[in-house]
Amino acid sequence: PIERLVAGGFAGMIASSMVYPIEVVKTMLTMYPGKYAGIGAAFRGVLSEVGPKGLYAGLGPTLIAMFPYVGVEFMIYETSKIAIEKFLGDRREAEGGDMLAVVSLPIIVSLGLGALAGAAAQTSAHPLDVVRKRLQIQGINGNPVLYKNTIDCITGVAGKEGMGALYKGLGPACVATIPGTGIAYITYEFMKKFFELSSV
């Protein structure tokens, strides 16, 4: 399980670093609908208001969050899947079935495990997602610069608004994450079968 946590965590951090400016632009388009004509306009707007560093505002908490997010998600999914496959295989062996036959989980089970993994991952990383968005929008469109860094933002939000503020929006985030994660893992299993790969 630890190897899966580390592998998934580093994969998520590298992927997030490469696409992060697009994430900032997405936040701008979401927070200020109508202000920017499109992706290019939002990109230029961030550059003109806060400079190139604005495209990486909040990168720290994002990288920190990605490790538990992707790592926890992958670890929970793969560990649970292997455990269930072992249970089914042992039961089939006890019933006198073919011990060499490959145990394959039904799609609905893969969907459920993916959804569970996604919800757990979202919950573990959500406070840092809140911090990321706070850091992204400060200094833009007249928003004051309130926080110096990730730690300052966490302590500031928790101190002024309470710890619950770090979990604002968790419900909608899970609703958005769960279906996508479940479908992603169904696709993951399909591609593993297609390329004849086993679980790591």
Side-chain angles (χ1 to χ4, degrees), residues 46-48 50-57:
V46 172
L47 287 176
S48 66
V50 291
K53 68 178 183 179
L55 293 172
Y56 290 92

Side-chain angles (χ1 to χ4, degrees), residues 15-55:
S16 291
S17 299
M18 295 177 69
V19 301
Y20 193 75
I22 300 300
E23 185 66 30
V24 173
V25 168
K26 184 188 83 171
T27 299
M28 294 301 107
L29 292 171
T30 303
M31 294 290 294
Y32 307 105
K35 178 173 182 178
Y36 304 107
I39 294 174
F43 188 86
R44 290 190 296 273
V46 172
L47 287 176
S48 66
E49 290 193 52
V50 291
K53 68 178 183 179
L55 293 172

Side-chain angles (χ1 to χ4, degrees), residues 5 9 12-13 16 58 60-73 76 117-133 150 154 165-170 173-174 177:
L5 175 67
M13 291 173 72
S16 291
T62 298
L63 294 182
I64 296 169
M66 269 300 121
F67 197 92
Y69 186 93
V70 179
V72 165
E73 180 185 288
I76 288 177
Q122 183 64 47
T123 302
S124 71
H126 193 74
L128 289 165
D129 195 41
V130 171
V131 169
R132 170 181 64 84
K133 289 177 181 174
T150 301
I154 292 173
L166 293 172
Y167 287 91
K168 281 183 178 177
L170 176 60
C174 284
T177 299

